[in-house]
Amino acid sequence: MKKIYFFLTLVFTGIQVQAQKDFQGMAVYESKTQAPKFEGMRANRDITPEMQKNMEERMKQMLEKTFILNFDKSSSIYKEEEKLDAPGQQGGMRIMMNSFMGGGGTFYKDVKAKTYTVDKEFMGKEFLVVDSLPKLNWKLEQETKQIGGYTCYKATAVKEASKTDFRNLRPKNNDDKKPEDKKEDPKKTSGETKTNFQDNFELPKEIVITAWYSPEIPINQGPENYWGLPGLILEVNDGRTTILCSKIVLNAKDKATIKAPTKGKVISQKDYDETVIKKMEEFREMNRGRDGGPVMIRR
């Protein structure tokens, strides 16, 4: 009898180990980013109200994306769902927006090794960013809500804003300046300011993160570079961007291949950020003072 019990225990343990090894899931996330409040891309007399409306609609569409997260117990890949560009919509503009809004490429996380790898294209060059996963000091709270039938718990954290993720771009607050720094701008007329776009917008130093995770799916994965909670993260709000899970499939018959991308020049996150910032400064100086360059900003 003891031999039979021992044999059944081994079989049951083996089944559990195999089940954990084969465990895999897929989650669909809808990402929406609130565009910065500015009027017009450029102060151009040729831009009609209808053209302005069309540009705003295109911007809105480019800031609304669908992502797929394939995950197992220790790793995941997060990638934008491929879509055909609508007639008249330029694919090049979408690629450029991805570069400047923190998107693009395949984001691979290994939560066991605490590393990530993401392939990015910037200014026609391919990079492979490899670095350690950021460790957030999550504050677990008791507040709950339902997302897609799963009970989710709230968690919050504060992180340093990325200098190359322009989704949180915001108008500068001149109220924080000292009186002696508040000089009259000769370009101000009738409540409007004509100046370089980048001179009027800034990135915050810190961002408050609010996440909702479900212990019913006991893996410490999530969208983008978010992880480290006792359950799959189904919703994240980090500033102007909200990422919400709309569908979950666990242990589907067809398994996805979860592995890190390999194409591109290997670079750390710090070095990649410095490269982007340098190019942005060059672009800024090149466009400063150019005819047709000012932006119309409502005060």
Side-chain angles (χ1 to χ4, degrees):
M1 188 65 182
K2 290 183 178 179
K3 290 183 179 180
I4 295 175
Y5 178 78
F6 180 70
F7 174 75
L8 291 176
T9 301
L10 287 177
V11 171
F12 181 71
T13 302
I15 292 174
Q16 282 187 315
V17 172
Q18 186 63 33
Q20 290 180 356
K21 183 179 179 181
D22 294 339
F23 172 80
Q24 194 176 107
M26 183 273 291
V28 179
Y29 291 87
E30 307 298 332
S31 174
K32 294 185 179 181
T33 300
Q34 180 185 358
K37 294 181 180 180
F38 58 92
E39 186 177 76
M41 296 295 288
R42 290 183 180 273
N44 191 326
R45 296 178 182 178
D46 296 330
I47 297 180
T48 65
E50 184 178 357
M51 293 169 64
Q52 175 67 35
K53 184 178 180 180
N54 289 336
M55 285 191 294
E56 291 175 352
E57 184 61 30
R58 285 189 181 184
M59 177 71 73
K60 180 182 177 182
Q61 291 175 0
M62 285 188 286
L63 294 176
E64 294 181 355
K65 303 178 180 181
T66 300
F67 291 86
I68 306 295
L69 177 73
N70 287 288
F71 56 87
D72 55 30
K73 285 288 185 179
S74 62
S75 59
S76 68
I77 51 173
Y78 183 74
K79 189 174 183 179
E80 183 180 355
E81 183 179 53
E82 294 184 3
K83 296 179 181 179
L84 291 175
D85 291 322
Q89 197 172 31
Q90 296 180 353
M93 176 64 72
R94 175 173 52 81
I95 294 174
M96 185 183 73
M97 285 292 292
N98 275 337
S99 296
F100 287 108
M101 304 303 278
T106 299
F107 200 113
Y108 171 84
K109 292 197 299 288
D110 185 336
V111 296
K112 189 175 182 180
K114 296 181 174 57
T115 60
Y116 69 91
T117 303
V118 56
D119 54 346
K120 287 180 172 287
E121 182 177 340
F122 182 74
M123 295 293 188
K125 295 183 179 180
E126 295 180 334
F127 296 92
L128 193 66
V129 182
V130 181
D131 218 315
S132 299
L133 278 170
K135 183 173 177 58
L136 296 178
N137 185 21
W138 291 109
K139 179 183 178 183
L140 305 185
E141 304 185 15
Q142 295 301 313
E143 186 177 348
T144 66
K145 71 175 181 178
Q146 294 287 315
I147 299 179
Y150 291 92
T151 299
C152 296
Y153 290 82
K154 184 179 181 180
T156 57
V158 177
K159 75 171 185 179
E160 183 180 352
S162 169
K163 296 179 180 179
T164 58
D165 184 351
F166 299 99
R167 290 175 296 181
N168 285 302
L169 204 65
R170 65 186 184 186
K172 286 184 178 179
N173 184 7
N174 290 321
D175 294 337
D176 295 334
K177 290 184 178 180
K178 297 179 182 179
E180 59 267 25
D181 294 332
K182 292 184 178 181
K183 298 180 180 180
E184 186 67 24
D185 189 346
K187 296 179 181 179
K188 276 189 179 179
T189 54
S190 305
E192 294 180 350
T193 300
K194 296 183 179 181
T195 184
N196 186 282
F197 173 80
Q198 290 170 295
D199 290 337
N200 282 273
F201 288 81
E202 65 182 359
L203 287 168
K205 294 181 179 180
E206 293 182 334
I207 301 175
V208 177
I209 312 299
T210 301
W212 295 87
Y213 66 96
S214 176
E216 296 173 27
I217 309 175
I219 62 167
N220 58 350
Q221 290 280 358
E224 293 190 358
N225 61 349
Y226 293 109
W227 69 293
L229 288 170
L232 179 64
I233 299 173
L234 300 188
E235 182 179 343
V236 173
N237 177 273
D238 58 356
R240 292 182 175 272
T241 300
T242 297
I243 306 172
L244 177 63
C245 181
S246 60
K247 180 181 179 181
I248 295 176
V249 178
L250 299 177
N251 292 321
K253 183 178 180 181
D254 296 328
K255 303 294 183 181
T257 301
I258 301 177
K259 62 180 182 179
T262 57
K263 192 175 181 181
K265 176 185 176 182
V266 178
I267 191 172
S268 69
Q269 186 68 59
K270 180 182 178 181
D271 289 342
Y272 175 78
D273 290 347
E274 290 177 353
T275 299
V276 173
I277 292 171
K278 181 180 179 181
K279 290 296 181 182
M280 287 293 294
E281 288 297 329
E282 292 176 359
F283 182 79
R284 178 181 181 178
E285 292 302 320
M286 182 176 63
N287 285 274
R288 188 187 296 275
R290 178 178 292 181
D291 292 338
V295 178
M296 299 293 288
I297 302 174
R298 287 290 183 184
R299 293 293 183 187

